[in-house]
Every structure is written in C-alpha cells, then in structure tokens.
Amino acid sequence: MQKRGRFLNQKLIYENTIVIVALLSLSLFSSAQNTHFGLKGGLNLSTLDADQGPDYDWKAGFHLGGLAHIHIIPHFNIQPGLVYSQQGAKDKNNGDAKFKLGYLNLPVLLQYMTGTGFRLQTGPQLDIALSAKVKSGDVEYDVDDAVNDLDFSWLFGASYLSPGGLGIDARYNHGITNILEDNDVPELRNRVIQIGLFYQFMHLTNTRKRK
C-alpha cells in the first residue's frame, strides 16, 4: 500500500506539472506573434528499463506528428508537439518476443537557439498509451489492461533548422514513471531515442528571429 500511495502521489505531481506547462504554452501560443507550425517524423529506437527480471533489447519503430514553434524572446522558444510513437522492446532471452507499445506523445520543450540554426532542447512529455501488445513468434495478444494509460518522460536533445525550413532532430526520452498497472511486479520504464526530420512552415519570413 505504501508503494501504491507513493506512485499515486508522484503521478499527481507529474500530471499537475504537465497541466501547468501546457496552460503556459497555450497562453504563449495565443499571445505570441511568431508562432509557426511544422511536421516531423523519423526513426525510433526504444527499449524498457526493468528494476528486476528480464533484460530488454532495442526495438525499431517510427514516430510521426506535428509541432508548433512559439518564439518567446531572442534565442528562446517553446515547442509543444503532438506525435504518434511506436515504442516497446525485445526480450534479450527470447529473440522472437516483443513488447509493442503505441503512444501519443505530448512534449513541451524549451529550446535555446544559437543563431546559427542549431538548437538545444529539454522539457517534460506526457505519453498517452494507445495500444499495448506482446508478440511471440506468430502469436500476438493485447495487454492493454496491464499498462498504465499515462506515462511521463523528460526529454533531452538537439536539432538543426536550415534556412529553407527543413531540419533534423535528435532526442532522448527518459521515462520517469512505471508503465505497468500492477505495482507488485518489477517496474518498467520507457527509454526512447528519436532521430528524424521536420519541416517548419512559414520559416522564410523572419528567419533570423526564429533561428
């Protein structure tokens, strides 16, 4: 019960943090003159970090979604996003076994822009579980009831935006909360590397301000 209570308290803290950051982003979005939208997609390399039990290997997937670039002050901007992400892992002890997870990622990143197109970024991310399956050989079955509806991550990364609006983005998603509903079994946390391309619309206007 103590462990369950501690988990619920942590979950409440993370939920409140995400809500506050999201409301701040919406406020900035509604008032900012330099807001531009974009599309992004690319490769996922994901695994699961287990407190105890089996070791997991990296699994390939993809991510695809949209973003908003909200310019705040020189060299700083907020970038919220809405991204579908294939995640999960392979069982190291059984190469045919895979944990297949589908999430809707809602990151809210603070970006530092160097003025040369390069950006450093970090921030929280809310992950909404859309699907959870285990596949072993040719057999696949749902495990939605075993996985929490919400997960929370912290992101670190960097990106480069070209003068034409096309950019490359790399980030590491470090899962903070346990993805499993049952707190009496060893905890699992998401670990995801995302590498992809993005295109920022209306980039050619005020390019210098938004770099």
Side-chain angles (χ1 to χ4, degrees), residues 7 34 56 62 66 85 95 101 118 120 122 146 178-179 195 203:
F7 171 77
N34 291 321
Y56 292 95
F62 73 89
S85 178
L101 302 173
F118 287 99
L120 299 177
T122 188
N178 177 22
I179 69 168
I195 303 172
H203 173 69

mmCIF file of all heavy atoms in Angstrom, residues 7 34 56 62 66 85 95 101 118 120 122 146 178-179 195 203:
data_model
loop_
_atom_site.group_PDB
_atom_site.id
_atom_site.type_symbol
_atom_site.label_atom_id
_atom_site.label_comp_id
_atom_site.label_asym_id
_atom_site.label_seq_id
_atom_site.Cartn_x
_atom_site.Cartn_y
_atom_site.Cartn_z
ATOM 1 N N PHE A 7 3.359 5.964 -5.553
ATOM 2 C CA PHE A 7 3.195 6.055 -7.004
ATOM 3 C C PHE A 7 2.101 7.051 -7.372
ATOM 4 O O PHE A 7 2.263 7.869 -8.275
ATOM 5 C CB PHE A 7 2.858 4.669 -7.578
ATOM 6 C CG PHE A 7 2.463 4.704 -9.017
ATOM 7 C CD1 PHE A 7 3.415 4.845 -10.013
ATOM 8 C CD2 PHE A 7 1.117 4.607 -9.383
ATOM 9 C CE1 PHE A 7 3.040 4.882 -11.345
ATOM 10 C CE2 PHE A 7 0.744 4.650 -10.707
ATOM 11 C CZ PHE A 7 1.705 4.781 -11.691
ATOM 12 N N ASN A 34 5.076 35.361 -33.328
ATOM 13 C CA ASN A 34 5.931 34.476 -34.104
ATOM 14 C C ASN A 34 5.666 33.013 -33.743
ATOM 15 O O ASN A 34 6.465 32.366 -33.077
ATOM 16 C CB ASN A 34 7.411 34.818 -33.860
ATOM 17 C CG ASN A 34 7.787 36.159 -34.453
ATOM 18 O OD1 ASN A 34 7.330 36.507 -35.531
ATOM 19 N ND2 ASN A 34 8.608 36.908 -33.747
ATOM 20 N N TYR A 56 16.008 -6.215 -21.593
ATOM 21 C CA TYR A 56 15.355 -5.915 -22.867
ATOM 22 C C TYR A 56 16.344 -5.293 -23.836
ATOM 23 O O TYR A 56 17.251 -4.550 -23.454
ATOM 24 C CB TYR A 56 14.171 -4.975 -22.651
ATOM 25 C CG TYR A 56 13.029 -5.624 -21.906
ATOM 26 C CD1 TYR A 56 12.905 -5.477 -20.521
ATOM 27 C CD2 TYR A 56 12.096 -6.393 -22.569
ATOM 28 C CE1 TYR A 56 11.864 -6.074 -19.830
ATOM 29 C CE2 TYR A 56 11.043 -7.000 -21.885
ATOM 30 C CZ TYR A 56 10.943 -6.835 -20.519
ATOM 31 O OH TYR A 56 9.914 -7.435 -19.834
ATOM 32 N N PHE A 62 8.770 3.874 -35.447
ATOM 33 C CA PHE A 62 8.764 5.191 -36.078
ATOM 34 C C PHE A 62 7.938 6.164 -35.245
ATOM 35 O O PHE A 62 7.178 5.766 -34.354
ATOM 36 C CB PHE A 62 8.200 5.115 -37.511
ATOM 37 C CG PHE A 62 6.707 4.908 -37.576
ATOM 38 C CD1 PHE A 62 5.829 5.996 -37.582
ATOM 39 C CD2 PHE A 62 6.168 3.632 -37.633
ATOM 40 C CE1 PHE A 62 4.456 5.815 -37.630
ATOM 41 C CE2 PHE A 62 4.795 3.439 -37.688
ATOM 42 C CZ PHE A 62 3.942 4.530 -37.689
ATOM 43 N N GLY A 66 3.083 16.465 -35.419
ATOM 44 C CA GLY A 66 3.211 17.888 -35.694
ATOM 45 C C GLY A 66 3.811 18.642 -34.523
ATOM 46 O O GLY A 66 3.959 18.102 -33.421
ATOM 47 N N SER A 85 3.947 7.597 -31.559
ATOM 48 C CA SER A 85 5.258 6.986 -31.362
ATOM 49 C C SER A 85 5.131 5.486 -31.118
ATOM 50 O O SER A 85 4.421 5.055 -30.204
ATOM 51 C CB SER A 85 5.966 7.652 -30.171
ATOM 52 O OG SER A 85 7.212 7.061 -29.917
ATOM 53 N N GLY A 95 14.544 -13.957 -28.596
ATOM 54 C CA GLY A 95 14.600 -13.016 -29.712
ATOM 55 C C GLY A 95 13.291 -12.845 -30.454
ATOM 56 O O GLY A 95 13.091 -11.846 -31.155
ATOM 57 N N LEU A 101 4.410 -1.194 -27.980
ATOM 58 C CA LEU A 101 3.626 -0.130 -27.360
ATOM 59 C C LEU A 101 3.381 0.993 -28.361
ATOM 60 O O LEU A 101 4.283 1.368 -29.113
ATOM 61 C CB LEU A 101 4.362 0.433 -26.144
ATOM 62 C CG LEU A 101 4.721 -0.560 -25.035
ATOM 63 C CD1 LEU A 101 5.606 0.115 -23.992
ATOM 64 C CD2 LEU A 101 3.467 -1.130 -24.395
ATOM 65 N N PHE A 118 21.305 25.865 -35.084
ATOM 66 C CA PHE A 118 21.360 24.784 -34.094
ATOM 67 C C PHE A 118 20.534 25.150 -32.864
ATOM 68 O O PHE A 118 20.503 26.308 -32.437
ATOM 69 C CB PHE A 118 22.805 24.505 -33.685
ATOM 70 C CG PHE A 118 23.600 23.797 -34.740
ATOM 71 C CD1 PHE A 118 24.446 24.507 -35.580
ATOM 72 C CD2 PHE A 118 23.497 22.415 -34.909
ATOM 73 C CE1 PHE A 118 25.172 23.865 -36.567
ATOM 74 C CE2 PHE A 118 24.212 21.769 -35.897
ATOM 75 C CZ PHE A 118 25.055 22.492 -36.730
ATOM 76 N N LEU A 120 19.350 23.603 -28.801
ATOM 77 C CA LEU A 120 19.386 22.645 -27.702
ATOM 78 C C LEU A 120 18.020 22.652 -27.039
ATOM 79 O O LEU A 120 17.405 23.719 -26.893
ATOM 80 C CB LEU A 120 20.480 23.029 -26.696
ATOM 81 C CG LEU A 120 21.909 23.064 -27.227
ATOM 82 C CD1 LEU A 120 22.862 23.540 -26.142
ATOM 83 C CD2 LEU A 120 22.335 21.703 -27.753
ATOM 84 N N THR A 122 15.076 20.768 -24.083
ATOM 85 C CA THR A 122 14.740 19.891 -22.968
ATOM 86 C C THR A 122 13.338 20.246 -22.480
ATOM 87 O O THR A 122 12.867 21.376 -22.684
ATOM 88 C CB THR A 122 15.758 20.008 -21.820
ATOM 89 O OG1 THR A 122 15.503 18.999 -20.842
ATOM 90 C CG2 THR A 122 15.698 21.371 -21.159
ATOM 91 N N ALA A 146 -2.737 -4.222 -18.618
ATOM 92 C CA ALA A 146 -1.541 -4.301 -17.774
ATOM 93 C C ALA A 146 -0.715 -3.019 -17.811
ATOM 94 O O ALA A 146 0.203 -2.851 -17.005
ATOM 95 C CB ALA A 146 -0.669 -5.484 -18.199
ATOM 96 N N ASN A 178 6.533 4.290 -13.811
ATOM 97 C CA ASN A 178 6.347 2.882 -14.127
ATOM 98 C C ASN A 178 5.194 2.736 -15.124
ATOM 99 O O ASN A 178 4.110 3.275 -14.915
ATOM 100 C CB ASN A 178 6.029 2.121 -12.834
ATOM 101 C CG ASN A 178 5.753 0.654 -13.054
ATOM 102 O OD1 ASN A 178 6.161 0.077 -14.064
ATOM 103 N ND2 ASN A 178 5.079 0.025 -12.107
ATOM 104 N N ILE A 179 5.403 1.994 -16.210
ATOM 105 C CA ILE A 179 4.359 1.870 -17.219
ATOM 106 C C ILE A 179 3.331 0.796 -16.864
ATOM 107 O O ILE A 179 2.282 0.711 -17.501
ATOM 108 C CB ILE A 179 4.945 1.578 -18.615
ATOM 109 C CG1 ILE A 179 5.541 0.168 -18.671
ATOM 110 C CG2 ILE A 179 5.954 2.631 -19.008
ATOM 111 C CD1 ILE A 179 5.875 -0.278 -20.088
ATOM 112 N N ILE A 195 15.212 9.938 -33.837
ATOM 113 C CA ILE A 195 16.007 10.662 -34.834
ATOM 114 C C ILE A 195 15.130 10.869 -36.057
ATOM 115 O O ILE A 195 14.566 9.899 -36.592
ATOM 116 C CB ILE A 195 17.274 9.882 -35.227
ATOM 117 C CG1 ILE A 195 18.132 9.587 -33.996
ATOM 118 C CG2 ILE A 195 18.085 10.660 -36.270
ATOM 119 C CD1 ILE A 195 19.297 8.661 -34.264
ATOM 120 N N HIS A 203 8.767 29.464 -42.574
ATOM 121 C CA HIS A 203 10.079 29.722 -41.974
ATOM 122 C C HIS A 203 10.812 30.863 -42.664
ATOM 123 O O HIS A 203 11.627 31.552 -42.059
ATOM 124 C CB HIS A 203 10.944 28.463 -42.043
ATOM 125 C CG HIS A 203 12.359 28.684 -41.607
ATOM 126 N ND1 HIS A 203 12.690 28.939 -40.295
ATOM 127 C CD2 HIS A 203 13.521 28.730 -42.309
ATOM 128 C CE1 HIS A 203 14.002 29.113 -40.199
ATOM 129 N NE2 HIS A 203 14.523 28.992 -41.398
#
